[in-house]
Amino acid sequence: AMENQKTKLQIEIIGRIKNLRQQNGISQKDMADYLDVTAGEIGNIESLKYKNKYTLKHLTLISKHLHVSIGELLFDEGHIKEDVDAVLERIVEYLG
């Protein structure tokens, strides 16, 4: 089996975004159009097999588009932090 190409945190955040995407009835194609990438790129981001991940710019656009805070994308429910230091630290860890 192929090793995960993403960190635990990347898998968690990307998974959370995927769930939000699906709950909002947004296809991979819609998401791709919105972020100005290909649908294949969204597929690669959502797959464990590739290193591809959302950029900081993507995260910002996704939070606007889905009407959630960056904190809500980065932290699981019950642990959401909105202070700048915590959010920045999490982003740095996510971007690796």
Side-chain angles (χ1 to χ4, degrees):
M2 187 125 177
E3 287 300 303
N4 286 345
Q5 295 295 304
K6 293 179 169 75
T7 67
K8 190 168 173 285
L9 182 62
Q10 288 166 355
I11 291 165
E12 183 192 311
I13 291 172
I14 290 166
R16 193 174 299 122
I17 292 169
K18 180 180 179 178
N19 288 339
L20 281 166
R21 176 178 74 67
Q22 291 174 331
Q23 284 163 18
N24 285 276
I26 298 166
S27 68
Q28 286 188 342
K29 173 86 172 71
D30 295 336
M31 184 71 114
D33 289 346
Y34 186 70
L35 299 179
D36 200 24
V37 297
T38 64
E41 174 68 7
I42 302 296
N44 291 346
I45 289 170
E46 290 185 353
S47 166
L48 299 180
K49 288 186 290 198
Y50 306 100
K51 285 190 188 313
N52 309 52
K53 59 183 180 282
Y54 291 113
T55 65
L56 182 52
K57 183 181 179 184
H58 291 157
L59 293 177
T60 307
L61 287 169
I62 289 164
S63 82
K64 284 199 177 95
H65 196 52
L66 298 179
H67 309 291
V68 296
S69 67
I70 293 273
E72 287 172 89
L73 297 181
L74 298 178
F75 298 95
D76 59 8
E77 252 184 299
H79 299 93
I80 295 167
K81 297 181 182 70
E82 299 292 358
D83 59 287
V84 174
D85 291 345
V87 167
L88 278 176
E89 202 174 301
R90 190 74 156 185
I91 287 169
V92 168
E93 190 187 342
Y94 162 81
L95 292 175

